[in-house]
Amino acid sequence: MEERDGRLVVEAVDGRGCVSEGDAGADAGPADCSSAPPVAGAVVRLFLRLGDRYYASGQGITDEQGRLSLESLPRGVSWVLVSADGFARSSAQLVVEGLEAPEDVRRARVVLEPAHELRVRVQDEAGNSLADATVLATGGDPLPHGGLSDASGVVRFERLGRPPWTVKASARGYESQTQSGVTGDVSLTLRRLASLSVKVVDVGGGPAQGADVLISGSGLWPARRTRTDGMGVTRIGGLLSGSYDIRAEKGSAVSHTLIGHQITKGEHSEVTLQLLPGRMVQVVVSGGSEADSELVQGADVVLTEYGLSSFPLQGTTGSDGAVSLGPIAPGPASVSARATGYVARGGVAVPEKLDGPVKVTLLKGATLIGLVKDTNDNPVDGASIEIIGTDIDGMPVAETPQLTAFRDAHFAWALAGPSPLIPAGELGVMPGPIPPIPKDWSSGSVGMQMPASDQGREADYVPWVTGLDGRFRAHPVTPGRVRALVRHPAYVEGISDVVTLGPGGEAEVEVVLKAGGTLEGKLVDKAGFGVSGARVDIMALEGTLERTTVTASDGTFAFAAVPEQVLLNVYRPEDFDRVVIKQVIEVPEGERKEIEITLPEERDPVLVRVETGRGEPVGMAQVSVLSLDPAEPLRATFFSDERGEVTVEDARGLPLEIVVTAPGFARAQVQLQTAPEEYTVSLDTAVSVVGQVTAVRGRRFVEGANVLLISGGDQKGAITDSEGKFLMENVTPGPGRLVVSHPEFARVERSVTIERTDRDDRPFELSAVDLSAPGDVEGEVVDTDGEPVAGARVAVDVAPAFLPVGALPPGVAVTDAKGHFRLRGLSAGPVLLEAYAAEVGRGQIKAEVDEGDVTRGVHIVLNLPVSDTEPAASGSVAVTLGENDVDAGVEVVLVHVAPGSEAERAGLLPGDRILAVDAVDVTGMTDARRRMSGPVRGDVVLELERRGKRLVLRVRRERVRR
């Protein structure tokens, strides 16, 4: 039968006519409003939610029976707002669906409660009334009430729900002020904005008249420009409190950028900048690393100081592929470049001493072709495509033509540099225009004149959208391991299988979109009353879908186009930072799932006391508390007060892990099966560790070696001095791992045990580490057919399968497009090399490393299968898994834990056997990986066996790459 548009009947009733179930008082049950009188003349407004925006989709006035029928409504999640004279505004949330039959209709019964009044007065610091101040009042109904103050600075609200309320006041030229827990009339005092004087001194030490001063920060973006007067001074007013970056320039002279200058509310601040001789940087952009690679004309190049700057310098390469940028002050800097048909590249370091141009090599963009269809095998047109994954360097990829167009528009807008500051009143600053947002993707128009470098880039701006045949073509795509993420308003987002793309390569994918289901729920308290203003999140267990809403005044919430499995998180109305309910919800395809969730009462608090071994309190100790119950997602960090105490709310009775760190003390980690009312953590003193790094069998001291010690779940680092010595403070005794590296020597890693000495002031001395000249290994990785494998990882002993998104860890190499690799910095002697490529396999070979030489011709064949599959979830745990056959079946073990990962920080170790994930026993590697994976904003609780002992650890998920 033909599907029709939605129809909704709204019924407004008088909440004063509701009857509570049971006796009045604390034990009264939820009200029965079935016989409550109707409210005629109530104004009903309907708002459709699309993404993060709301659109008016219907309105009307209730009749004598308190009813309003709305027809031909768009389908989707809608908010129903009802208001009437003498009543507080009320709301409900539901999903309006298409009708399969004319008699089908959705109904919403909205209970109106008596209105409450609130008077808010807005004044300045001197007590003077502020007229035309904007005042917002928010109560149980999460949508705010707003108004402007009159000549006496007063705003009156007459239709608020029950207190308490949160009130916010804002006025031009003043800091905004917010007050929570308001139960009656209130006055808010606003403070004037801050101001800043900048004095610029020229190279000779005199005042720099006519110097340009650039400023940008948390309260002023994008960057603005002003000019100094005859005394070399400029005054900037109307600034919000916050952190600001400031720089001065005049001709070829430029100052160092003052980073993070703090400005306080209502205060006047003064700074002085010294001009120095600047330097110019020439950048050459080429389309490949070979000597004969073509030079790229029209590439956008950005030069930034310190790798990240509020004042980037931007330009476009000419026919010789070169552009000159500057001036910049002495110090570290980097360049980035992008061009049509190529993949953008950033982070190319600029040498302190320039002896020629800085060369930037760009890779040719790849192409991804795909087909999108529904579950009935029909093509889906109008679906938008985003390419996600990791590039060949392990950095994240998230690309759409819209983002490309926005970057181009921002680049064109920024070519002229920071806009001038325009005075507005005594101290005011008129912010001026923000970077334009492209609107016409198909034509490349961005609402402004495009620079010459952008002419002819219209093809880059064509949206990646499926046509009538359901097909799409995405180009240019960053080479790497990527997926197509497909979105359509009528379907659940879909995600393709992973494909590996080389520079200029091409691949095809197919994605099936499901219509999904609808999820409607109600959050109630223990007595059954609806809880309003609570945050509710859903996150897909597979894919990247995340949505957030706030419960309506009756406690309802709704989501449309929901996948079959979602993780639902609920937060208390007064605390949007801590999850109190975590549930996996099954939503049948094409059906509506209705749930009711009871918000648990807060548990009693737990008092954690931190003491020394002599019973003295330890202040400012960092106390991290983690729940070891998978259903109770508590993870919080506190700092102890002067009494050495922290109070952990809503935690008594839970199984907890408490981790305490403090300067001068060893890290303490305890687990409690049931958290008591009070618990005392006694800290032992930490140990100082000394050592020495040498070379040539102890005859040479190695200065500048990087020493890393992982011990007791913590990391300490040091750099060796001129005698090769290093010192580490606050080390936790116990087994650990020592890693020593230096650019001129082979990397050394060894197991150590840190012990206490007979005196607290005597450091523990590690045996000397003697470094040898590094040996390199060169070779190729091929599959069983002898074809080269690009993107394979090569390492000694174990090539990791899963790593955090980002740069490769030391000791791992990746093959190029021809399957070639070079593993650097190895110690001399026999080594076992392993190579790994997802969907291809593993391979091993023994090789001999010669000190100070290169071992060439190593040939690794990927002839061993891999079974650790890559999840479609947004997050996982950065470990490599293995299986052992045992009498009871198979056991899953950790083969490798990625250095610097959340897994290593949580305390996972190679050799640990995984027994259960989130209290569910694992049956194999695939099952363990699936259960460890999920939304990146979440934790997973692992039950492990280590050397015959059982332990439980909570591990934070992170974005990983395979």
Side-chain angles (χ1 to χ4, degrees):
M1 185 172 292
E2 183 183 357
E3 192 174 50
R4 300 171 180 267
D5 289 333
R7 181 184 174 198
L8 173 68
V9 173
V10 180
E11 183 179 4
V13 299
D14 188 342
R16 294 171 296 190
C18 300
V19 179
S20 296
E21 298 177 359
D23 299 329
D27 296 330
D32 178 11
C33 298
S34 59
S35 59
V39 177
V43 177
V44 179
R45 293 182 176 88
L46 196 66
F47 293 90
L48 174 71
R49 176 176 178 175
L50 293 176
D52 294 329
R53 297 192 176 189
Y54 291 85
Y55 301 87
S57 56
Q59 65 178 8
I61 298 176
T62 59
D63 58 19
E64 294 298 324
Q65 286 76 41
R67 294 189 181 94
L68 171 67
S69 179
L70 297 170
E71 305 203 14
S72 298
L73 297 174
R75 292 167 288 176
V77 176
S78 295
W79 276 80
V80 182
L81 268 64
V82 182
S83 57
D85 291 340
F87 294 93
R89 188 182 66 194
S90 188
S91 62
Q93 234 184 126
L94 50 80
V95 176
V96 176
E97 299 172 319
L99 303 180
E100 296 183 358
E103 61 272 14
D104 290 344
V105 64
R106 286 302 311 270
R107 298 184 182 274
R109 188 178 180 86
V110 181
V111 179
L112 300 180
E113 297 183 351
H116 294 260
E117 295 185 0
L118 172 65
R119 179 180 181 273
V120 181
R121 182 173 185 267
V122 186
Q123 61 185 16
D124 62 16
E125 296 166 283
N128 301 315
S129 299
L130 291 179
D132 295 325
T134 300
V135 180
L136 301 177
T138 307
D141 183 345
L143 303 175
H145 297 253
L148 294 176
S149 59
D150 58 20
S152 59
V154 173
V155 179
R156 290 178 175 83
F157 298 98
E158 299 178 344
R159 293 185 181 180
L160 296 181
R162 288 173 291 181
W165 306 293
T166 297
V167 182
K168 178 180 179 180
S170 305
R172 187 185 181 96
Y174 294 84
E175 293 270 5
S176 298
Q177 177 71 21
T178 301
Q179 185 168 330
S180 302
V182 176
T183 58
D185 293 348
V186 66
S187 293
L188 297 182
T189 301
L190 306 188
R191 301 180 63 178
R192 281 192 177 274
L193 295 170
S195 59
L196 170 70
S197 289
V198 181
K199 181 178 181 181
V200 182
V201 179
D202 63 22
V203 176
Q209 179 181 1
D212 288 328
V213 175
L214 287 66
I215 180 170
S216 179
S218 56
L220 184 65
W221 186 91
R224 291 294 185 267
R225 179 190 300 270
T226 186
R227 184 160 290 184
T228 58
D229 58 18
M231 301 299 294
V233 176
T234 185
R235 181 183 174 91
I236 304 169
L239 296 174
L240 294 169
S241 61
S243 177
Y244 291 84
D245 296 345
I246 312 166
R247 189 180 75 174
E249 58 186 36
K250 183 178 181 182
S252 62
V254 62
S255 74
H256 283 291
T257 300
L258 178 61
I259 298 176
H261 179 70
Q262 293 293 325
I263 294 180
T264 310
K265 288 183 179 181
E267 300 292 333
H268 178 72
S269 179
E270 297 181 356
V271 299
T272 299
L273 300 178
Q274 171 74 55
L275 294 179
L276 303 169
R279 55 179 178 151
M280 301 298 293
V281 178
Q282 186 181 38
V283 181
V284 175
V285 182
S286 63
S289 57
E290 294 78 10
D292 58 348
S293 297
E294 64 176 349
L295 300 175
V296 181
Q297 180 181 2
D300 298 334
V301 181
V302 179
L303 171 64
T304 56
E305 299 175 280
Y306 310 106
L308 182 66
S309 173
S310 298
F311 317 109
L313 300 174
Q314 299 164 308
T316 304
T317 58
S319 58
D320 58 353
V323 63
S324 184
L325 298 174
I328 61 172
S334 64
V335 294
S336 306
R338 61 173 298 276
T340 301
Y342 293 88
V343 177
R345 183 181 178 190
V348 178
V350 176
E352 282 285 344
K353 295 182 179 179
L354 291 169
D355 54 3
V358 176
K359 297 181 179 180
V360 180
T361 302
L362 300 183
L363 296 177
K364 281 281 189 182
T367 303
L368 186 64
I369 299 171
L371 170 65
V372 180
K373 56 186 181 179
D374 62 18
T375 53
N376 295 321
D377 225 24
N378 297 316
V380 177
D381 68 306
S384 61
I385 312 300
E386 180 179 357
I387 305 302
I388 62 174
T390 55
D391 66 15
I392 57 179
D393 294 320
M395 303 307 291
V397 172
E399 297 176 337
T400 66
Q402 289 89 332
L403 292 175
T404 300
F406 181 84
R407 286 194 297 264
D408 286 347
H410 187 281
F411 181 86
W413 171 88
L415 278 175
S419 301
L421 284 166
I422 303 174
E426 180 186 356
L427 295 176
V429 171
M430 186 177 296
I434 64 171
I437 297 175
K439 296 178 180 178
D440 185 0
W441 309 117
S442 61
S443 67
S445 171
V446 293
M448 59 179 292
Q449 180 64 41
M450 298 174 66
S453 63
D454 283 339
Q455 303 300 325
R457 287 190 178 170
E458 289 81 358
D460 286 1
Y461 301 147
V462 175
W464 295 339
V465 177
T466 56
L468 293 176
D469 59 355
R471 297 188 176 277
F472 69 88
R473 181 179 185 273
H475 176 83
V477 172
T478 299
R481 288 178 53 77
V482 299
R483 301 175 187 261
L485 179 64
V486 183
R487 298 186 177 95
H488 191 286
Y491 298 89
V492 176
E493 73 173 29
I495 191 167
S496 74
D497 292 334
V498 175
V499 295
T500 301
L501 289 171
E506 183 176 294
E508 293 190 27
V509 295
E510 185 175 292
V511 180
V512 177
L513 297 184
K514 297 181 179 181
T518 60
L519 176 62
E520 293 186 0
K522 186 174 184 179
L523 182 65
V524 299
D525 59 20
K526 184 179 179 182
F529 292 102
V531 178
S532 63
R535 173 181 166 184
V536 181
D537 298 343
I538 61 167
M539 293 174 280
L541 295 188
E542 293 188 356
T544 64
L545 181 140
E546 293 188 15
R547 296 182 192 157
T548 298
T549 191
V550 179
T551 55
S553 56
D554 61 353
T556 55
F557 60 90
F559 298 96
V562 176
E564 293 178 338
Q565 275 194 330
V566 294
L567 176 66
L568 184 139
N569 290 335
V570 180
Y571 305 72
R572 297 188 189 278
E574 65 276 6
D575 186 359
F576 277 15
D577 294 324
R578 179 184 165 187
V579 178
V580 294
I581 297 175
K582 172 184 172 183
Q583 291 184 10
V584 174
I585 307 294
E586 305 277 349
V587 182
E589 172 78 7
E591 298 182 18
R592 182 167 72 242
K593 174 87 171 186
E594 296 183 358
I595 59 175
E596 182 173 284
I597 300 175
T598 301
L599 189 67
E601 292 185 338
E602 282 201 50
R603 299 177 183 84
D604 292 330
V606 174
L607 179 69
V608 178
R609 186 176 292 108
V610 184
E611 297 180 348
T612 67
R614 297 186 296 273
E616 300 168 344
V618 179
M620 290 304 295
Q622 179 176 298
V623 181
S624 299
V625 181
L626 299 86
S627 167
L628 298 179
D629 183 347
E632 301 291 343
L634 169 62
R635 176 189 283 271
T637 299
F638 311 88
F639 289 90
S640 59
D641 58 21
E642 65 276 4
R643 299 186 300 274
E645 297 177 349
V646 299
T647 300
V648 185
E649 302 289 347
D650 196 17
R652 194 178 306 176
L654 289 176
L656 296 181
E657 179 177 82
I658 302 175
V659 180
V660 182
T661 57
F665 295 93
R667 184 176 186 265
Q669 182 173 353
V670 296
Q671 291 191 354
L672 308 175
Q673 294 296 323
T674 304
E677 179 179 356
E678 296 184 9
Y679 188 81
T680 299
V681 179
S682 182
L683 299 183
D684 293 326
T685 56
V687 177
S688 297
V689 175
V690 297
Q692 189 175 35
V693 179
T694 61
V696 197
R697 287 171 286 280
R699 296 195 297 272
R700 173 186 168 187
F701 301 138
V702 178
E703 182 181 3
N706 186 12
V707 184
L708 180 66
L709 175 64
I710 299 95
S711 173
D714 200 5
Q715 293 187 5
K716 303 293 181 183
I719 303 294
T720 56
D721 61 17
S722 59
E723 296 182 349
K725 295 180 179 180
F726 63 88
L727 168 66
M728 296 180 181
E729 305 278 5
N730 300 323
V731 177
T732 300
R737 180 166 59 94
L738 184 70
V739 181
V740 181
S741 59
H742 189 282
E744 299 176 6
F745 298 93
R747 181 173 176 269
V748 172
E749 181 173 340
R750 65 170 59 162
S751 297
V752 296
T753 299
I754 308 301
E755 299 176 350
R756 296 186 183 278
T757 59
D758 53 358
R759 287 174 44 183
D760 288 344
D761 60 347
R762 178 173 295 170
F764 175 79
E765 186 172 357
L766 291 167
S767 57
V769 178
D770 194 68
L771 303 182
S772 60
D776 295 353
V777 174
E778 278 192 7
E780 64 174 352
V781 177
V782 299
D783 60 20
T784 53
D785 295 327
E787 295 295 324
V789 178
R793 294 177 194 150
V794 184
V796 175
D797 294 332
V798 178
F802 283 85
L803 292 171
V805 169
L808 285 172
V812 180
V814 176
T815 57
D816 61 17
K818 299 179 180 179
H820 179 267
F821 72 91
R822 180 162 183 165
L823 196 57
R824 303 175 184 273
L826 302 182
S827 297
V831 295
L832 175 66
L833 297 180
E834 184 177 77
Y836 164 84
E839 283 89 41
V840 181
R842 287 185 180 273
Q844 295 179 336
I845 193 171
K846 292 182 179 179
E848 187 74 24
V849 178
D850 296 325
E851 184 174 337
D853 201 357
V854 180
T855 302
R856 294 183 171 87
V858 174
H859 188 78
I860 305 178
V861 181
L862 302 184
N863 54 9
L864 300 175
V866 292
S867 57
D868 194 356
T869 58
E870 182 165 2
S874 61
S876 192
V877 181
V879 295
T880 301
L881 303 177
E883 285 182 341
N884 293 327
D885 291 328
V886 294
D887 293 339
V890 297
E891 64 177 14
V892 181
V893 297
L894 301 185
V895 177
H896 180 272
V897 178
S901 65
E902 293 289 347
E904 184 180 65
R905 281 187 281 273
L908 298 182
L909 297 176
D912 288 347
R913 184 162 73 95
I914 300 180
L915 305 176
V917 178
D918 282 342
V920 179
D921 293 343
V922 299
T923 58
M925 284 174 52
T926 302
D927 179 58
R929 176 60 64 186
R930 180 177 63 84
R931 295 187 182 280
M932 288 191 299
S933 303
V936 72
R937 289 194 298 113
D939 296 342
V940 61
V941 176
L942 301 182
E943 295 180 40
L944 309 170
E945 183 183 276
R946 179 181 298 167
R947 293 188 289 272
K949 294 184 179 180
R950 193 181 185 97
L951 72 156
V952 180
L953 294 175
R954 178 176 284 272
V955 184
R956 190 188 297 274
R957 292 191 186 100
E958 60 188 316
R959 297 193 184 278
V960 299
R961 57 189 176 111
R962 185 178 180 223

